[in-house]
Amino acid sequence: MRMSRFFILTTLLVLSWINTAHARYYDDVIASGEIYIGAYKDFPPYSFEQDGKPAGVDIEVGRRIANAFGLKMKVHWITPDENLEDDLRNNVWKGHYLDKDDENPLAMKHLADVMMRVPYDREYAFKRGDLDLLINDQVVLFGPYQRERWQVAFDSKKLERVGTVAVFQYHPIGVEIDSLPDFYLTSAFGGRMRNNTHHYPTIHDAFFAMQEGKVDAVMGMRAEVDWRLAQADNPRYQLAENGFPSMGKQQWDIGMAVKQTYRQLGHAVEEVVDGLIRSGEIEKIYAQYGVRYELPGLYQDVTQ
C-alpha cells in the first residue's frame, strides 16, 4: 500500500522537529531546573575530566552560575571544529547533525545555554563576510571574565634565563602545532628560530617533551603553562620574563556566548559573573588550579 503524500510530509516534519537542537529562553532554563554550560573537552586547566568528573576553571565558574540561579549544572562538552564560527554554530545556535543525544538517537544533543571561553573582541563580534553581512549575527558575545596572554617556560638546567626569544636560535622550544606561537617562532627574526621550533599536538605534550629533555622550553597560553608548572611542582622549570617583538596580538580577553535571541539569559549570567569578579571569587578559582588570574580589560580600565 502506498503511503499518502500527506502522511509522508507529516512524518518528515515531525522528524525534522525531533532532529533540531534548541537553545532556550531564560524562563525555560529556570523552569527546567538545569542549565547547560558549554565547555571545551580535554582542555586543562579550563575544562576537562578528573576522576570521571568535570573539572577546571570554566567548570567551576559554570557551577557558580548554576548555583546563583538555584539550578543543576549540566556540562555540554565541546569538541573544537576548524574555527570559532563553527564552534558557535554547532554548540550555541544551530547544532551539528551528527551530534546526537545519547538518550534519544533521533534528536540532536542539547545545545549549550551558555558557552564559556569565547574571545571577547569587539572587532571579531562585528566581523563581516564577503557579502558585508555579520558573521556572528546569531550569537551575542558578552561577559569578559579573564585576560589571557602568551607565556614561555624553560628548563633552568638548560638555560640560565630567557631575556629574549632570540635565544631559541640556539635552543629547541616546543609549541602546539598550528598555534600562533608556532607561526611566530618559525617566521620571526627572518626564520632563524624555525629549525629549533618543535611541534606537538598540544602544549601539554610539549611540556612533557621538555621534562624528557627533548626541548629546553615551551611557549603557549599562560594558564596552560601555569597549570603544567603547578602539576610538575619542580623549581627546575621556570617562567620566562618574556616579550614577543613583532608578534601582534599578545593578550586578549575571554568571555561567554549565548544565542542572540536569548539576551535576557546573557544579562542574568553576566550579572552573576560580574559579582564573582568583583568579590575576588574568580581569582580564587584560578589559584585553586595554580593559575595566575588577570582582570579583563573592561575591569582594568575601571580600576586604573
Side-chain angles (χ1 to χ4, degrees), residues 153-174:
F154 65 96
D155 183 343
S156 63
K157 288 193 175 182
K158 303 288 187 67
L159 287 159
E160 284 189 19
R161 59 187 294 267
V162 178
T164 169
V165 290
V167 71
F168 299 118
Q169 295 175 87
Y170 316 106
H171 290 268
I173 182 170

Side-chain angles (χ1 to χ4, degrees), residues 28-289:
D28 295 331
V29 171
I30 299 300
S32 74
E34 56 192 24
I35 184 169
Y36 285 79
I37 299 294
Y40 282 101
K41 192 175 184 180
D42 300 327
F43 196 25
Y46 311 112
S47 45
F48 58 104
E49 285 195 342
Q50 192 171 55
D51 299 326
K53 297 180 180 180
V57 168
D58 290 342
I59 299 299
E60 294 298 333
V61 174
R63 285 196 179 103
R64 284 157 177 78
I65 292 171
N67 290 341
F69 298 133
L71 303 174
K72 178 182 179 180
M73 181 189 73
K74 303 200 76 171
V75 179
H76 171 94
W77 289 114
I78 298 171
T79 300
D81 210 314
E82 292 185 4
N83 54 52
L84 180 57
E85 286 87 7
D86 291 340
D87 292 347
L88 291 168
R89 181 185 64 249
N90 294 340
N91 297 281
V92 176
W93 64 270
K94 185 176 182 181
H96 194 288
Y97 70 96
L98 291 178
D99 199 7
K100 301 299 183 182
D101 191 309
D102 295 333
E103 298 179 0
N104 183 0
L106 289 177
M108 293 173 67
K109 188 176 291 186
H110 201 293
L111 289 174
D113 294 314
V114 180
M115 178 173 166
M116 306 298 293
R117 197 144 298 275
V118 179
Y120 181 80
D121 182 88
R122 181 175 177 81
E123 182 177 337
Y124 175 76
F126 292 97
K127 182 179 178 182
R128 294 181 178 272
D130 295 336
L131 299 177
D132 200 34
L133 298 175
L134 286 173
I135 291 177
N136 299 303
D137 63 332
Q138 296 293 326
V139 297
V140 176
L141 310 183
F142 71 101
Y145 60 94
Q146 178 214 348
R147 172 159 286 185
E148 187 60 277
R149 60 178 69 236
W150 302 111
Q151 177 68 56
V152 168
F154 65 96
D155 183 343
S156 63
K157 288 193 175 182
K158 303 288 187 67
L159 287 159
E160 284 189 19
R161 59 187 294 267
V162 178
T164 169
V165 290
V167 71
F168 299 118
Q169 295 175 87
Y170 316 106
H171 290 268
I173 182 170
V175 296
E176 181 177 345
I177 191 167
D178 291 335
S179 64
L180 185 55
D182 179 6
F183 298 132
Y184 174 67
L185 290 169
T186 54
S187 60
F189 302 110
R192 291 197 292 272
M193 298 181 288
R194 183 180 297 118
N195 292 338
N196 274 323
T197 303
H198 295 229
H199 307 90
Y200 296 92
T202 68
I203 186 61
H204 307 293
D205 295 306
F207 196 93
F208 292 144
M210 181 170 69
Q211 291 177 300
E212 294 172 350
K214 296 178 180 178
V215 295
D216 297 346
V218 298
M219 180 177 175
M221 286 190 289
R222 178 173 61 185
E224 291 186 282
V225 171
D226 282 358
W227 189 73
R228 276 299 165 197
L229 287 173
Q231 294 295 300
D233 192 24
N234 189 334
R236 171 175 177 170
Y237 306 112
Q238 299 182 12
L239 294 169
E241 298 178 6
N242 46 261
F244 310 108
S246 305
M247 187 177 187
K249 195 161 191 175
Q250 300 184 26
Q251 60 184 28
W252 62 98
D253 290 341
I254 297 296
M256 298 167 284
V258 295
K259 190 174 180 180
Q260 62 92 12
T261 49
Y262 304 137
R263 292 172 183 267
Q264 183 183 4
L265 176 63
H267 292 320
V269 170
E270 187 170 36
E271 185 175 348
V272 172
V273 173
D274 177 75
L276 296 175
I277 294 172
R278 296 183 186 279
S279 69
E281 180 67 14
I282 279 191
E283 185 171 6
K284 292 178 183 176
I285 293 172
Y286 278 72
Q288 177 183 334
Y289 287 89

